[in-house]
Amino acid sequence: MSHVLLVTGAAGGLGRAIVARAAMTGAQIAVVSRDAQHLVDAFGEAHTNSPTHIVADVSTHEGAQYAVKVCVETLGAPTMLAHCVGNILLAPAGRTTEAQYRDVMRANLDSAFFTLGAFVSAARTAAIPASACFVSTIAAGIGIANHEAVAAAKGGLEAMVRSAAATYAASGMRFNAVAPGLMDTPAAAKFLSSTALREASAKQYPLGSIGTADEIAEVMLWLLSDAARRVTGQTWTVDGGFTAVRPLVR
Ligand SMILES: NC(=O)c1ccc[n+]([C@@H]2O[C@H](COP(=O)([O-])OP(=O)(O)OC[C@H]3O[C@@H](n4cnc5c(N)ncnc54)[C@H](OP(=O)(O)O)[C@@H]3O)[C@@H](O)[C@H]2O)c1
């Protein structure tokens, strides 16, 4: 079966890594960003053999519906969704403004929910088996200081994934998430802006070094593929041992 892969947040670090890997599989790919220039910068001008560009803000119901509609009209109903929209906020709850909180919820949870809804509607209308993979964070599974807003949003995302897996299992649809630790992408640039910061971060991970977008992309594409046909409702942690291995003494 020829796959149609919809990638949201496609111009970001993880999105680009997914598109690069998926291009090698022969899948037809639609890439979504809020900004047309981000897509051109990441993937070049749209042409016959490059991903289909879709400009939409999937953190709104209307934007998510539009993104999926354009994909259906140009490539067909998406059989796979890699939802890579999100951001990071490091701040304790007492110092998080309402605007910051709303932005985190919009980027991480609203976008996931609205994209999920549009994706499953299209898959059910087309009567095709489909799978989706979302992106959480290790801060949703354990208590990491100063992550309250992101943890709330991503914890909601993980719960949403489990419920969707239950709702649509009988329709042959699968829903999973990955939970990365710190990943070397633009979203994490300010935490990795010097050699000292990089070394300090790497020391927190039992396996050392900083995670890469390509490592997460590989796991996401596996979860989306038929090879993972018995896997649904799961959050797969990919964190160099951060959450499973303690105590860590260096
Ligand atoms: N990097 C890390 O250390 C890390 C760790 C754990 C989890 N994550 C998660 O991994 C995923 C991928 O992030 P990344 O590291 O690749 O970051 P990134 O390079 O910043 O890419 C994220 C993309 O999300 C889109 N986006 C951001 N805020 C949005 C909003 N309010 N509404 C709609 N779109 C928005 C942006 O796309 P456009 O501006 O092009 O629309 C951006 O390019 C995210 O869910 C993030 O939370 C990252």
Side-chain angles (χ1 to χ4, degrees):
M1 177 179 172
S2 151
H3 280 290
V4 174
L5 169 66
L6 180 66
V7 184
T8 58
L14 180 56
R16 288 183 194 218
I18 286 178
V19 172
R21 273 190 171 266
M24 295 186 270
T25 70
Q28 291 185 281
I29 305 169
V31 289
V32 187
S33 165
R34 292 168 297 177
D35 186 324
Q37 191 59 45
H38 291 181
L39 295 175
V40 173
D41 292 347
F43 309 110
E45 296 288 346
H47 58 81
T48 319
N49 294 321
S50 69
T52 297
H53 293 194
I54 303 174
V55 179
D57 181 354
V58 298
S59 70
T60 68
H61 179 267
E62 187 185 17
Q65 293 286 330
Y66 174 77
V68 171
K69 178 170 163 283
V70 174
C71 181
V72 170
E73 288 171 357
T74 52
L75 301 178
T79 57
M80 296 175 169
L81 164 67
H83 181 69
C84 300
V85 169
N87 62 15
I88 304 173
L89 175 72
L90 275 199
R95 292 191 182 193
T96 299
T97 64
E98 180 173 354
Q100 286 175 317
Y101 170 78
R102 300 274 175 225
D103 184 48
V104 166
M105 297 307 276
R106 188 164 47 243
N108 294 289
L109 186 56
D110 295 5
S111 73
F113 185 81
F114 293 132
T115 306
L116 168 72
F119 174 74
V120 292
S121 296
R124 283 174 70 80
T125 301
I128 51 169
S131 64
C133 191
F134 295 82
V135 187
S136 182
T137 165
I138 52 173
I142 63 169
I144 303 178
N146 303 318
H147 282 70
E148 287 92 317
V150 174
K154 298 291 199 184
L157 178 152
E158 291 187 15
M160 179 199 80
V161 162
R162 287 189 291 273
S163 184
T167 306
Y168 299 108
S171 306
M173 291 189 222
R174 298 184 300 104
F175 300 88
N176 293 291
V178 289
L182 192 59
M183 182 171 49
D184 196 351
T185 70
K190 61 177 172 242
F191 313 118
L192 299 171
S193 58
S194 70
T195 304
L197 280 172
R198 279 186 169 270
E199 286 175 0
S201 291
K203 277 188 186 151
Q204 297 179 28
Y205 291 84
L207 289 178
S209 75
I210 307 295
T212 68
D214 197 48
E215 290 161 355
I216 303 300
E218 183 171 8
V219 176
M220 288 181 73
L221 286 171
W222 181 78
L223 285 168
L224 286 169
S225 77
D226 196 47
R229 59 191 166 275
R230 294 295 292 170
V231 184
T232 194
Q234 304 297 313
T235 297
W236 282 52
T237 302
V238 186
D239 67 351
F242 187 100
T243 52
V245 179
R246 281 292 183 271
L248 177 62
V249 180
R250 290 216 196 262

